[in-house]
Amino acid sequence: MQNLIHHIQITINPGIYLKNPESSDLGKRMISEGIHMIASSGFDNFTFRKLGERIGSNESSVYRYFENKHKFLIYLTSWYWGWLEYRLVLETNSITDAREKLDRALTVITQPVETDDAFGHIDEVALNRIMVNEYSKPFLTAEVDEENKAGYFEIYKRLIARVSEMISNVLPDYPYSNSLVSTILEGSLHQYFLAAHFPSLTNCNDPQDLTKFFKQVVFSSLDTYGKEK
Amino acid sequence: MQNLIHHIQITINPGIYLKNPESSDLGKRMISEGIHMIASSGFDNFTFRKLGERIGSNESSVYRYFENKHKFLIYLTSWYWGWLEYRLVLETNSITDAREKLDRALTVITQPVETDDAFGHIDEVALNRIMVNEYSKPFLTAEVDEENKAGYFEIYKRLIARVSEMISNVLPDYPYSNSLVSTILEGSLHQYFLAAHFPSLTNCNDPQDLTKFFKQVVFSSLDTYGKEK
DNA sequence: CTATATATGATAGTATTACTATTATTTTAG
DNA sequence: CTAAAATAATAGTAATACTATCATATATAG
């Protein structure tokens, strides 16, 4: 990606961390190494003890940045959605045609992730693997309502609202824009998961097909809405 | 539902359990009470110790039926998908028109669950709540490939294949039938979850709308495939 | 240059969990 | 009535997800 823009930060709700990991070298290493550990062995096998060792530090130091590993995951997923939002804006901002704008947005959402130089210590490809393998774990918990109230999912909600608005700009009367976007965001990760583990349950073993599939779904739905027999 | 058909059993892969819970009264109580416990407090707070107490028995007895609580959940979700498949067949079997058949299938998939008298000890409404709140936990694990190889997800795969075939009967050339079905099965549970916890991310706060939404998505996609500008 | 605050590191301890193992008791079947 | 099978009770283990405490290193303010 562009090496024009550096020193940008994705802003994360401070309630998610105890001490901002972006504020120190140690904190950045927690994020950086944490991503690699979770991407390769899965979130369930990830512990702060192992992370402490890995960064040449200590369990207790990690606990000074994050209350628990669940919040660590919420931090990572929030960062991911924030980054996706940033790329979405960057890539669609200059487009005036509503249809073309939505088309480009769907490309950004569904195409495979590439490394972004603007965020040195974060391996976006590995982070995307985490999203594919753990996508629902941040919110499928008994505490989801409290955490939602505390604003931990704001970025995700903003992202959906943004794409939803693009849909409304194509077809103001379409009544399912939020459902369509939430279905596609989750569905896209899910199709990647299926391609990796259950190839017989998807026709999108090539990312090109995934993008085509979701675009066909979205535009056919918009183009025929209100015109059914 | 019909009280015509009794004494039917959903067949579950024996690798999922150590001893078939359907084979004894104690086993049935494990399923029955386990469903209520997980539905009300969530899977993460569920333990075999608590289940043992609840059924007036013992942790060690539960372990004689299920290797661990993860397999217990796989059992429940397999049962659910098996039951959905059974209802799907029951409700679509007599329909000859391909389009109408698919339409009915989508109703069955997306409409709220009601209690089914044919399976006395299972509370399908509570089980559906589990599906909505924990839907991805059976497969978002590090062991998914082994478990898939062992056949633990056969019922789910068969269900998708079945609906996928209905799509092919409507439009043989449509190349995304598996992806469309897997997106809708997962997406339907997800929309129910959003309606309960993130109402701003869905337009389907009423189940009627959910069914309409997914039908519109499916049929518009099929009706315009190959006819885009 | 020292006193102080702050960040980090090391160690120990706790409650819970997810089991395994063993033995005792009850139920069932022949 | 006896043997086998099923269930119950109890104990124990390793790992986990923390909390608490204290020691040390480092940065900074006066």
Side-chain angles (χ1 to χ4, degrees):
Chain A
M1 215 187 213
Q2 268 92 338
N3 45 6
L4 296 166
I5 313 152
H6 271 273
H7 315 302
I8 299 173
Q9 271 206 22
I10 308 291
T11 306
I12 307 289
N13 182 331
I16 296 171
Y17 50 75
L18 295 171
K19 175 174 174 159
N20 191 345
E22 289 293 325
S23 71
S24 75
D25 184 63
L26 186 70
K28 282 180 198 159
R29 263 155 51 220
M30 285 174 196
I31 299 304
S32 164
E33 294 301 316
I35 287 173
H36 286 123
M37 290 171 72
I38 298 172
S40 65
S41 326
F43 182 66
D44 297 341
N45 294 314
F46 171 77
T47 70
F48 279 1
R49 183 173 292 249
K50 290 179 195 165
L51 176 58
E53 273 167 32
R54 169 93 159 233
I55 61 176
S57 175
N58 197 277
E59 188 183 19
S60 58
S61 299
V62 183
Y63 272 105
R64 249 177 249 113
Y65 284 77
F66 293 97
E67 223 177 306
N68 53 54
K69 74 173 194 162
H70 179 240
K71 286 204 173 178
F72 190 84
L73 184 62
I74 292 184
Y75 182 93
L76 296 185
T77 53
S78 293
W79 194 96
Y80 181 86
W81 296 124
W83 178 63
L84 184 57
E85 185 193 23
Y86 148 82
R87 285 192 302 141
L88 208 71
V89 172
L90 202 71
E91 302 233 2
T92 61
N93 198 41
S94 59
I95 304 173
T96 48
D97 180 67
R99 215 180 156 81
E100 204 190 322
K101 204 180 190 93
L102 177 60
D103 188 274
R104 177 66 63 84
L106 292 172
T107 303
V108 174
I109 289 169
T110 58
Q111 275 295 290
V113 155
E114 285 168 35
T115 310
D116 187 340
D117 294 337
F119 307 93
H121 61 296
I122 292 186
D123 180 340
E124 289 84 6
V125 176
L127 182 53
N128 174 257
R129 202 169 329 132
I130 294 176
M131 297 304 295
V132 168
N133 290 319
E134 330 275 357
Y135 59 89
S136 69
K137 289 178 188 170
F139 52 81
L140 290 195
T141 71
E143 298 78 30
V144 61
D145 293 329
E146 291 166 48
E147 294 182 344
N148 184 23
K149 216 167 179 177
Y152 297 174
F153 306 110
E154 283 310 317
I155 298 185
Y156 185 62
K157 287 154 90 170
R158 208 172 57 215
L159 173 65
I160 290 190
R162 211 182 265 279
V163 183
S164 190
E165 210 197 315
M166 292 184 191
I167 289 182
S168 297
N169 287 338
V170 171
L171 185 67
D173 290 339
Y174 186 73
Y176 307 121
S177 58
N178 292 315
S179 286
L180 191 58
V181 176
S182 52
T183 297
I184 279 162
L185 271 179
E186 175 110 342
S188 175
L189 294 174
H190 187 49
Q191 292 296 310
Y192 274 105
F193 179 85
L194 294 179
H197 302 284
F198 297 88
S200 75
L201 302 187
T202 178
N203 310 100
C204 305
N205 296 94
D206 175 349
Q208 294 293 321
D209 293 324
L210 194 143
T211 302
K212 270 194 232 162
F213 164 58
F214 279 117
K215 283 187 181 176
Q216 204 269 339
V217 163
V218 169
F219 285 112
S220 69
S221 192
L222 296 181
D223 288 343
T224 51
Y225 181 76
K227 292 171 194 159
E228 291 94 353
K229 319 143 201 188
Chain B
M1 216 186 212
Q2 269 90 340
N3 46 6
L4 297 167
I5 312 152
H6 269 275
H7 314 302
I8 298 174
Q9 271 207 22
I10 308 291
T11 306
I12 306 290
N13 182 331
I16 296 170
Y17 50 77
L18 294 171
K19 175 174 174 158
N20 191 345
E22 289 291 328
S23 71
S24 75
D25 185 64
L26 186 68
K28 281 180 200 159
R29 261 153 55 218
M30 286 176 195
I31 299 305
S32 165
E33 295 301 315
I35 287 173
H36 287 122
M37 291 172 73
I38 298 172
S40 66
S41 326
F43 182 67
D44 297 342
N45 294 314
F46 171 78
T47 69
F48 279 1
R49 182 173 295 249
K50 290 179 196 165
L51 176 58
E53 273 167 32
R54 169 93 160 232
I55 62 176
S57 175
N58 196 274
E59 189 182 19
S60 58
S61 300
V62 184
Y63 272 106
R64 241 175 271 111
Y65 285 77
F66 293 97
E67 223 177 306
N68 53 55
K69 72 173 193 162
H70 178 240
K71 287 205 174 175
F72 190 83
L73 184 62
I74 292 184
Y75 182 93
L76 296 185
T77 53
S78 294
W79 195 95
Y80 181 86
W81 296 124
W83 178 62
L84 184 57
E85 186 193 21
Y86 148 81
R87 285 194 300 142
L88 208 72
V89 171
L90 203 69
E91 301 234 2
T92 62
N93 198 41
S94 59
I95 304 173
T96 48
D97 181 66
R99 215 180 157 83
E100 204 191 321
K101 203 180 190 94
L102 177 59
D103 188 276
R104 176 68 63 85
L106 292 172
T107 303
V108 174
I109 289 169
T110 57
Q111 274 296 290
V113 155
E114 285 168 36
T115 310
D116 187 340
D117 294 337
F119 307 94
H121 62 297
I122 293 187
D123 179 341
E124 290 84 6
V125 176
L127 181 53
N128 175 257
R129 201 169 331 131
I130 294 176
M131 297 304 295
V132 168
N133 290 319
E134 330 276 355
Y135 58 90
S136 68
K137 287 177 188 171
F139 52 82
L140 290 194
T141 71
E143 298 77 29
V144 61
D145 293 328
E146 290 166 49
E147 294 181 345
N148 184 22
K149 217 169 177 175
Y152 297 174
F153 306 110
E154 284 310 317
I155 299 185
Y156 185 62
K157 287 154 91 170
R158 207 172 59 214
L159 173 66
I160 291 191
R162 211 181 266 277
V163 183
S164 190
E165 210 197 314
M166 292 183 190
I167 289 182
S168 297
N169 287 337
V170 171
L171 185 67
D173 288 342
Y174 185 72
Y176 306 122
S177 57
N178 292 315
S179 286
L180 191 57
V181 176
S182 53
T183 297
I184 280 162
L185 271 179
E186 175 110 343
S188 175
L189 293 174
H190 187 50
Q191 292 297 309
Y192 275 105
F193 179 85
L194 294 179
H197 302 285
F198 297 88
S200 75
L201 302 187
T202 179
N203 309 100
C204 306
N205 295 95
D206 175 350
Q208 294 293 322
D209 294 325
L210 195 143
T211 301
K212 271 195 230 160
F213 164 57
F214 279 117
K215 283 187 182 175
Q216 203 270 340
V217 162
V218 168
F219 285 111
S220 69
S221 194
L222 296 181
D223 288 342
T224 52
Y225 181 77
K227 292 172 194 158
E228 291 96 352
K229 318 141 202 189

